[in-house]
């Protein structure tokens, strides 16, 4: 999982390049103003409910694109941990929740409760990113921890060992403990606060969806999988698929069948594999086969 680049992470590579290309196309075609949602006037005055389905297509400024690309690239370790099939299944199965919940929440709950103060939802796949980030937080362990303190440690001396120990413990109690993953949360934090409060609402909903998926409480999402061919996986895998491929290669080379399995008859022909019951029965009968 520490490989560089997009090794074993084709879906993450698609997300990174799709984020950049989508923002570029939105800028070239001058369609960025079709993506964000303002409850008033877009929804209640103009009736543009189609914005609920398209607001996650692209970010609308270069700063958000930069931080989103950095975060998606960091989250490639989740795809390597899960596998591309589960990773793609997660994105597609949670897409209805990450797409519809934020605008519905802003339209019917937050805007009435705040008397119109929260009226804007910025464009971009922020909920998808934070749904992945929630699983990154829970599934990927840190490799080391370190502390940051604004005070320097006291110089040890033989005459004041006890006082130095007490001051050192007090120093560590006022320090900040960080891990190897701490810096990974800075780009998504900037993304969540970029267009406050709408971006924070989208980030919070995405984190909740990711947590619900991990705890298997998201209806219709946890057990569904995309077909293997969509992510380049073969239908036949594991040892059986490897054995079949080796047998096929041996036959093409003229080496005969059964060499990959190691089960050959005396005349060089492959014989049928015995079951466990047959071998136990042979032990009692005293039968020995070559």
């Amino acid at each position: 999982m520490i490989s560089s680049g997009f090794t074993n992470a084709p879906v993450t590579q698609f997300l990174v390049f799709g984020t950049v290309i989508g923002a570029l196309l939105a800028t070239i075609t001058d369609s960025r103003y079709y993506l964000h949602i303002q409850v008033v006037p877009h929804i209640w005055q103009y009736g543009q409910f189609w914005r609920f389905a398209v607001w996650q297509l692209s970010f609308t400024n270069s700063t958000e694109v930069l931080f989103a690309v950095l975060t998606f690239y960091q989250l490639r370790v989740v795809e390597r941990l899960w596998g591309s099939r589960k990773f793609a299944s997660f994105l597609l199965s949670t897409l209805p929740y990450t797409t519809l919940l934020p605008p519905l929440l802003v339209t019917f709950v937050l805007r009435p409760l705040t008397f119109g103060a929260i009226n804007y939802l910025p464009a971009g796949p922020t909920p998808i990113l934070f749904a992945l980030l929630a699983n990154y937080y829970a599934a990927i362990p840190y490799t080391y921890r370190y502390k940051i303190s604004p005070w320097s440690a006291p110089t040890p001396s033989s005459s004041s060992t006890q006082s130095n120990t007490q001051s050192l413990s007090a120093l560590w109690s006022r320090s900040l403990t960080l891990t190897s993953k701490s810096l990974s949360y800075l780009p998504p934090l900037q993304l969540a606060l970029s267009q406050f409060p709408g971006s924070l609402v989208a980030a919070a909903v995405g984190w909740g969806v990711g947590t619900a998926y991990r705890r298997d409480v998201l209806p219709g999402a946890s057990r569904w999988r995309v077909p293997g061919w969509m992510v380049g996986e073969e239908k036949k895998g594991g040892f059986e698929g490897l054995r079949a491929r080796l047998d096929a290669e041996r036959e093409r080379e003229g080496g005969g069948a059964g060499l990959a399995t190691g089960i050959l008859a005396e005349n060089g022909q492959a014989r049928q594999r015995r079951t466990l019951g047959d071998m136990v029965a042979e032990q009692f009968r005293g039968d020995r086969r070559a």
Side-chain angles (χ1 to χ4, degrees), residues 146-170:
Y146 58 95
K147 291 180 179 290
I148 297 179
S149 176
W151 299 277
S152 60
T155 304
S157 61
S158 58
S159 59
S160 58
T161 304
Q162 185 176 1
S163 61
N164 287 338
T165 303
Q166 294 177 354
S167 60
L168 186 61
S169 61

Side-chain angles (χ1 to χ4, degrees), residues 100-176:
L100 296 178
L101 284 181
L104 292 177
L105 185 63
V106 171
T107 303
F108 296 104
V109 179
L110 295 180
R111 188 180 186 277
L113 291 179
T114 59
F115 301 100
I118 300 179
N119 186 62
Y120 178 78
L121 187 64
T126 303
I128 295 177
L129 188 147
F130 273 84
L132 287 172
L133 190 66
N135 288 274
Y136 172 82
Y137 169 79
I140 306 300
Y142 60 85
T143 56
Y144 58 86
R145 293 190 302 175
Y146 58 95
K147 291 180 179 290
I148 297 179
S149 176
W151 299 277
S152 60
T155 304
S157 61
S158 58
S159 59
S160 58
T161 304
Q162 185 176 1
S163 61
N164 287 338
T165 303
Q166 294 177 354
S167 60
L168 186 61
S169 61
L171 173 66
W172 284 113
S173 65
R174 291 178 292 179
S175 61
L176 180 64

Side-chain angles (χ1 to χ4, degrees), residues 55-56 59 64 72 122-131 188 191-192 194 199-200 202-204 206-207:
W55 72 280
Q56 278 201 113
F59 291 104
E64 292 178 342
F72 276 133
T126 303
I128 295 177
L129 188 147
F130 273 84
L191 188 63
S194 59
S199 57
L200 184 60
W207 188 279

Side-chain angles (χ1 to χ4, degrees), residues 12 135 142 182 215:
T12 304
N135 288 274
Y142 60 85
S182 299
R215 296 182 178 179

Side-chain angles (χ1 to χ4, degrees), residues 201-225:
V201 172
V205 172
W207 188 279
V209 170
T211 303
Y213 178 89
R214 181 167 182 82
R215 296 182 178 179
D216 295 332
V217 296
L218 203 61
S222 299
R223 298 183 179 180
W224 180 79
R225 293 291 183 270

Side-chain angles (χ1 to χ4, degrees), residues 1 4 31 39 65 87 95 102 107-108 139 149-150 172 175 192 201 215 217 221 230 241-242 246 259 266 276 282 288:
M1 290 190 296
S4 61
S31 58
V39 180
V65 172
F87 191 79
L95 186 61
T107 303
F108 296 104
S149 176
W172 284 113
S175 61
V201 172
R215 296 182 178 179
V217 296
M230 293 186 64
L242 178 61
L246 290 176
L259 293 178
E266 294 180 356
L276 179 61
E282 290 169 3
R288 296 289 187 272

Side-chain angles (χ1 to χ4, degrees), residues 272-286:
Q272 187 176 3
R273 182 179 296 178
R274 291 174 293 172
T275 63
L276 179 61
D278 294 337
M279 290 188 289
V280 172
E282 290 169 3
Q283 293 294 328
F284 287 99
R285 291 198 305 264

